[in-house]
Amino acid sequence: MLNTKQQEAVNFKNGQMLVVSCPGSGKTTVIVARVHQLIESGVNPSNILIITFTKEAADQMQKRYEKEYGPTQAFFGTIHSICFRVLAKAYNYTKEDILRANEQWEFMFNFLCKKVSSTDLQEYIKNMIAEIGYVRNKGMDYRKYQPEHSEKDIFRATYQAYDEFKKEKNKIDFDDMLVICQKCFREDKENLQYWKNQFTHIMIDEFQDTNSIQADIFYMLAGPDGNLFVVGDDDQSIYKFRSADSSIMLDFPKTFPKCRTIYMDTNYRSGTEVIKYAGNLIRINKNRFEKNFHGFREEQGAVSAIACNGPNEEVDSILKDMNSLRKQGVKYTDMAVLYRTNMENQLLAGKLLKLKVPFYTTEAIKDYHEDFIFQDIMAYYRLSCGNERKGDLQRILNRPSRFLKAEPFKNCSFSKADLFEACKKLGDKSVHAMSKINELLYDIDMLKEQTVPYGFVQSLLSMGYMTFIGKFCEFTGRDLEICMQTLNLLLEEAKEQGSMEEWQAYAKFYSESLQQKKRDKRKDGVCLSTFHSAKGLEWSRVYILNADDGNCPYKKSDDIEEERRLFYVAVTRAKDVCKIFYSGSNGKKKQTPSQFLYEMGLLNTGAKIIKPIIY
């Protein structure tokens, strides 16, 4: 049964309409029902185009339509799928002309592997591809673009070489599809008219995620007086890094002055408390459509801010609550843990694995034990306990820097006699080298006394290793903040290990379990997701991690309104309960709660502020 505003949107047939749809307001229901209504009113199904922004979403929407109304000739697809059709007709493109993801990745690896010193080349390539796509979709001059994740010269060289690579292969990528389709519509009016005749009624879902090239294609296809029906929520525009522009939706009534606007402001998903606190937050934003949120459900639900002493306590509090809920019969599939960046899932994933709690993730979990910091720690440990592996000495010889030439120590084992013999090969620098080797031997002796992992790592850091991390990042181009996050994760993990042997065994267990998770594609158990990937999903119970200043809003972001929208998306995934965790302190370090908790009214209006009890 549709409500009045939903029915009004469904019944709209000709002209332009903007539907501003709040979380849980049934926009998919409206789109599916409107397709059926158009067909019932006499519109040829093959003249109806429904665009959404992922293939999965398009497939799900079509299946939902066919389940309710039967097979249809209406076209459900993505912007890229329709652009490909345009290019196939205009220029005889086939699927063989589209560059595959593995071809793109192989080119980037071969081109960049000898040009950058990043130890995480996979992440570097991922960022490079994203930034090239951003520039293409924004229609920017790549020579004037200031990249965030690489040096300007490397970005320019990669951009140019990638273009040449595509020309040599005579292929285009997904970004090229949009650019070429836009050019085709602008320059070939006959072709444009063909597609305007083909699709007389256009519907666009998630319109807040549109970028300027996509909007131009849509607007040319519809024409100034065409039948264009767009649905979205400007408060959920969170893909600026993919070149999405929320102002396109905000300016739709100006672009089409005759358009009608409907506000679907009834939330059928969440309890009234979730709606209230989320509303308090998003109303702070200036650049948005004003809305009055209403809840359909009578249940209140609950939102709370929970102060903890660091990440371990946050995770333990969540696990305790999950265990309590399971005893009450709540399914793990009704729970989700959300976080701002993908780095934040690692500690939680480890504890879920250890407790054998089923879970899945929307993004792959990186095994931080494979990073250089943990590998260095374990090399030092093996040397300190007499279990040297080949390469351990060479690995840590200049970590921290001891200004020792590597070549004389290339085949050296960790014994005083062998080390001093290697020093003699340095000629007039041998005295200095022996002095540094004595310092290394002393440091290793000190580490022998540290049998508890946390004390071992702290001792290593005090020996100059902390300074080394900073210099290493500066030299290799690694992101220092990410390296420090990895170090903090290891420190938190070390606190819970009784011995170094136990820590080694845990790291092996963690790695093997992650490999098994990668092979298991089932979405079973607790969902672990970034805020971005949680969009469009919902759970009864939502936990939000690390709601601290610097993380929420993220300190690298220059758009506070988008950060606020992102937090709003996270909170509104909750149907019944949303628990938001922040660190009042992290050991000796004081943490500042996210400003969003104050804006929501959770830290200054008497809403629950809970100090968890961990057993």
Side-chain angles (χ1 to χ4, degrees):
M1 187 73 172
L2 300 175
N3 66 33
T4 303
K5 293 181 179 179
Q6 289 174 329
Q7 191 65 59
E8 184 181 353
V10 167
N11 291 340
F12 184 78
K13 184 176 181 181
N14 296 321
Q16 302 92 40
M17 174 169 279
L18 169 63
V19 178
V20 182
S21 175
C22 78
S25 60
K27 66 181 179 64
T28 303
T29 298
V30 166
I31 292 171
V32 168
R34 184 171 184 266
V35 173
H36 178 67
Q37 181 66 24
L38 287 173
I39 295 170
E40 290 291 296
S41 70
V43 177
N44 188 325
S46 63
N47 294 143
I48 301 172
L49 173 65
I50 307 98
I51 292 290
T52 191
F53 282 82
T54 68
K55 185 179 185 304
E56 183 181 10
D59 290 344
Q60 287 176 352
M61 194 177 290
Q62 182 168 357
K63 287 177 182 177
R64 181 164 170 180
Y65 179 92
E66 292 179 347
K67 182 179 180 181
E68 293 186 29
Y69 303 111
T72 182
Q73 294 300 309
F75 183 83
F76 293 82
T78 64
I79 178 65
H80 292 98
S81 64
I82 191 62
C83 285
F84 178 75
R85 284 189 165 201
V86 172
L87 301 189
K89 180 182 180 300
Y91 310 118
N92 297 316
Y93 275 90
T94 69
K95 290 183 179 179
E96 296 303 313
D97 297 314
I98 309 303
L99 193 71
R100 296 191 302 271
N102 66 307
E103 292 177 296
Q104 182 187 53
W105 193 269
E106 184 179 354
F107 164 79
M108 290 291 174
F109 180 84
N110 291 335
F111 185 78
L112 291 170
C113 66
K114 295 180 181 179
K115 288 182 171 57
V116 297
S117 55
S118 174
T119 55
D120 193 349
L121 187 57
Q122 185 173 351
E123 187 69 17
Y124 192 96
I125 292 172
K126 178 182 173 183
N127 290 329
M128 179 64 74
I129 291 172
E131 291 203 79
I132 288 174
Y134 178 85
V135 169
R136 292 285 281 163
N137 280 280
K138 293 290 281 187
M140 300 169 67
D141 184 343
Y142 74 94
R143 291 164 295 190
K144 297 179 181 179
Y145 176 68
Q146 180 60 53
E148 292 184 23
H149 301 286
S150 67
E151 293 182 5
K152 188 181 289 186
D153 290 345
I154 293 177
F155 178 81
R156 289 177 180 174
T158 307
Y159 191 104
Q160 291 172 333
Y162 180 52
D163 261 4
E164 289 300 319
F165 169 74
K166 288 185 291 182
K167 289 175 184 176
E168 289 172 9
K169 300 273 288 186
N170 200 26
K171 292 190 175 186
I172 62 172
D173 64 15
F174 281 87
D175 298 321
D176 295 325
M177 273 192 209
L178 301 184
V179 174
I180 299 170
C181 182
Q182 181 191 41
K183 189 172 186 289
C184 176
F185 278 178
R186 283 180 174 177
E187 298 178 358
D188 188 344
K189 299 305 178 186
E190 185 178 337
N191 211 331
L192 173 59
Q193 190 59 50
Y194 172 87
W195 290 104
K196 289 174 75 171
N197 293 339
Q198 176 64 46
F199 295 119
T200 59
H201 288 75
I202 302 168
M203 303 171 68
I204 304 171
D205 189 20
E206 303 289 3
F207 191 63
Q208 76 281 346
D209 295 331
T210 302
N211 66 40
S212 56
I213 289 182
Q214 293 166 346
D216 195 32
I217 292 170
F218 294 146
Y219 293 169
M220 285 191 285
L221 189 57
D225 298 310
N227 303 314
L228 182 59
F229 182 96
V230 300
V231 185
D233 182 3
D234 53 304
D235 290 334
Q236 295 188 70
S237 179
I238 57 173
Y239 293 113
K240 184 179 178 181
F241 68 96
R242 293 181 187 167
S243 75
D245 185 350
S246 61
S247 69
I248 292 171
M249 180 173 177
L250 294 172
D251 289 340
F252 190 83
K254 297 177 185 176
T255 307
F256 296 94
K258 296 179 183 178
C259 93
R260 287 171 58 186
T261 301
I262 291 178
Y263 289 85
M264 295 201 321
D265 48 16
T266 299
N267 184 324
Y268 290 85
R269 173 190 300 152
S270 303
T272 55
E273 289 290 281
V274 176
I275 295 169
K276 180 180 79 172
Y277 286 113
N280 290 347
L281 173 69
I282 202 62
R283 287 188 185 97
I284 302 293
N285 276 0
K286 304 295 183 187
N287 299 308
R288 61 185 295 269
F289 291 116
E290 287 295 327
K291 309 173 187 72
N292 292 311
F293 300 113
H294 306 285
F296 178 79
R297 296 172 55 198
E298 295 181 358
E299 298 90 345
Q300 281 193 324
V303 181
S304 54
I306 303 174
C308 296
N309 290 319
N312 256 321
E313 193 172 284
E314 288 191 34
V315 169
D316 288 343
S317 183
I318 289 173
L319 294 174
K320 178 176 178 289
D321 196 63
M322 285 180 177
N323 185 49
S324 175
L325 289 170
R326 282 296 295 133
K327 290 178 180 178
Q328 298 170 37
V330 180
K331 297 177 181 177
Y332 283 129
T333 50
D334 289 330
M335 308 175 199
V337 184
L338 310 182
Y339 32 83
R340 175 61 180 82
T341 68
N342 200 38
M343 282 289 293
E344 298 165 66
N345 60 21
Q346 296 166 327
L347 184 64
L348 173 63
K351 294 197 175 190
L352 289 171
L353 289 169
K354 200 170 183 179
L355 293 171
K356 298 183 179 179
V357 174
F359 72 92
Y360 66 97
T361 62
T362 55
E363 301 91 357
I365 299 173
K366 183 179 177 182
D367 186 357
Y368 51 98
H369 302 101
E370 294 176 356
D371 202 64
F372 75 93
I373 299 176
F374 183 77
Q375 296 300 319
D376 288 353
I377 291 169
M378 287 301 154
Y380 267 107
Y381 167 64
R382 288 189 292 269
L383 292 175
S384 72
C385 66
N387 292 326
E388 179 185 5
R389 287 184 189 170
K390 185 177 180 180
D392 281 347
L393 170 64
Q394 291 71 24
R395 181 181 187 89
I396 60 89
L397 187 66
N398 283 299
R399 298 185 174 194
S401 180
R402 298 181 176 91
F403 305 100
L404 294 168
K405 286 189 175 181
E407 185 61 31
F409 300 92
K410 189 175 181 180
N411 298 309
C412 186
S413 63
F414 187 70
S415 72
K416 190 171 183 177
D418 283 357
L419 287 166
F420 279 9
E421 191 63 32
C423 289
K424 293 176 183 178
K425 298 176 183 177
L426 291 168
D428 59 353
K429 295 183 179 179
S430 60
V431 175
H432 166 79
M434 288 181 183
S435 172
K436 291 298 180 181
I437 290 299
N438 275 324
E439 289 178 15
L440 171 61
L441 293 169
Y442 177 80
D443 288 343
I444 295 293
D445 282 341
M446 291 297 100
L447 289 173
K448 284 180 184 177
E449 299 176 7
Q450 299 292 338
T451 57
V452 178
Y454 186 74
F456 189 97
V457 179
Q458 289 287 14
S459 292
L460 179 58
L461 293 174
S462 70
M463 294 171 180
Y465 190 79
M466 178 69 88
T467 303
F468 160 74
I469 293 174
K471 290 182 177 179
F472 179 80
C473 289
E474 184 179 351
F475 178 73
T476 60
R478 286 286 295 266
D479 188 319
L480 178 59
E481 182 183 347
I482 291 177
C483 287
M484 294 311 296
Q485 286 176 343
T486 299
L487 174 60
N488 288 332
L489 274 170
L490 292 169
L491 284 168
E492 291 292 330
E493 188 175 271
K495 291 176 184 177
E496 304 215 325
Q497 310 301 322
S499 67
M500 294 297 287
E501 292 85 355
E502 184 181 325
W503 198 9
Q504 277 186 314
Y506 175 77
K508 182 180 179 183
F509 160 77
Y510 188 95
S511 177
E512 291 173 351
S513 299
L514 284 190
Q515 292 302 317
Q516 187 175 341
K517 280 286 178 190
K518 287 179 182 178
R519 293 190 293 270
D520 187 355
K521 302 299 182 183
R522 292 175 299 172
K523 293 185 177 181
D524 182 37
V526 180
C527 178
L528 311 188
S529 175
T530 59
F531 295 168
H532 282 103
S533 294
K535 186 170 173 288
L537 304 176
E538 61 181 38
W539 298 272
S540 174
R541 174 85 44 150
V542 168
Y543 306 93
I544 295 178
L545 276 176
N546 304 325
D548 302 304
D549 187 47
N551 196 51
C552 300
Y554 195 48
K555 61 185 175 183
K556 287 188 176 182
S557 172
D558 60 357
D559 190 337
I560 185 62
E561 293 213 346
E562 175 140 329
E563 287 295 306
R564 191 175 285 112
R565 291 194 293 267
L566 193 53
F567 204 76
Y568 171 78
V569 165
V571 173
T572 54
R573 300 310 92 200
K575 292 193 283 187
D576 301 306
V577 176
C578 180
K579 291 191 172 185
I580 306 173
F581 294 82
Y582 68 97
S583 293
S585 64
N586 186 359
K588 296 179 181 179
K589 182 181 177 183
K590 290 288 184 182
Q591 297 280 95
T592 304
S594 168
Q595 69 183 72
F596 299 151
L597 300 182
Y598 294 95
E599 293 171 357
M600 292 172 74
L602 287 173
L603 292 188
N604 59 4
T605 60
K608 282 188 183 178
I609 302 173
I610 303 169
K611 184 69 174 68
I613 299 173
I614 308 299
Y615 298 100

